[in-house]
Amino acid sequence: MGSSATSKFRAVLFDRDGTLVVDVPYNGDPERVAPMPGAKEVLDALRADGIATGVISNQSGIARGLITAADVAGVNARVEELLGPFDVWEVCPHSEQDRCSCRKPAPGMVHSACRKLGIRESEAALIGDIGADVRAAEAAGATGILVPTPVTRAEEVAEAGLVARNLAEAVSLLVGQP
């Protein structure tokens, strides 16, 4: 990757489920956490280049009573055990009906992560597997990259400006950004 090539970007933020780890709907069990292929290598390379990493995750299961905040914290701790430490975590516990400013596609979690990292939103990228991830990045003034999975809708792929086949390709796309 090379730090000079990614110098515009001081942080790469990731969606959790379906991007960093295999999506298990409303997962409250750390034992069910499984990294996506290549995730650890991509994160290790970013960290080696001095690029901050973070996780931006909607967890509406909390609002719906399907999982607790403690369940999410346990799963997040397991993600860190498997993939290494993240510089920032942002979790939205609300449901769509709450109309909060943090739930993706709203930009609140991206703004918060950038504040905590001490960077401008234009210095951050958000990589995710659904359109809400890309829209949250764009609404915040960050760069969004879509890495589709079988559950990603075709119209989300069509709307995304940057689309990659996997995490490594997503990060390599950042090098070419002005």
Side-chain angles (χ1 to χ4, degrees):
M1 266 178 269
S3 52
S4 61
T6 55
S7 60
K8 172 192 172 184
F9 293 98
R10 295 179 56 201
V12 180
L13 309 171
F14 296 86
D15 170 57
R16 190 188 81 180
D17 302 318
T19 302
L20 287 177
V21 299
V22 175
D23 187 15
V24 176
Y26 310 113
N27 185 19
D29 180 0
E31 294 304 312
R32 296 184 71 193
V33 174
M36 291 294 276
K40 176 118 175 65
E41 294 77 9
V42 165
L43 290 162
D44 288 348
L46 287 168
R47 292 176 185 123
D49 275 353
I51 306 293
T53 59
V55 180
I56 309 286
S57 184
N58 287 348
Q59 292 295 324
S60 66
I62 296 171
R64 297 174 187 190
L66 300 171
I67 52 176
T68 66
D71 292 335
V72 171
V75 167
N76 290 347
R78 181 67 177 149
V79 171
E80 284 210 330
E81 279 178 39
L82 295 171
L83 297 177
F86 291 90
D87 297 290
V88 65
W89 281 86
E90 294 290 332
V91 174
C92 171
H94 307 111
S95 73
E96 214 171 306
Q97 292 72 30
D98 292 327
R99 292 185 170 74
C100 63
S101 62
C102 50
R103 181 177 171 78
K104 295 177 288 182
M109 289 191 288
V110 177
H111 287 308
S112 179
C114 290
R115 262 193 316 276
K116 289 175 182 174
L117 293 169
I119 64 170
R120 295 185 310 274
E121 285 79 353
S122 62
E123 298 174 303
L126 172 57
I127 299 172
D129 65 321
I130 61 172
D133 300 315
V134 174
R135 290 195 305 279
E138 291 169 351
T143 297
I145 301 178
L146 185 69
V147 178
T149 66
V151 301
T152 309
R153 296 193 324 261
E155 59 268 24
E156 293 173 323
V157 177
E159 289 169 8
L162 294 172
V163 180
R165 290 175 301 210
N166 54 50
L167 290 175
E169 184 177 291
V171 171
S172 74
L173 287 176
L174 297 176
V175 176
Q177 292 304 298

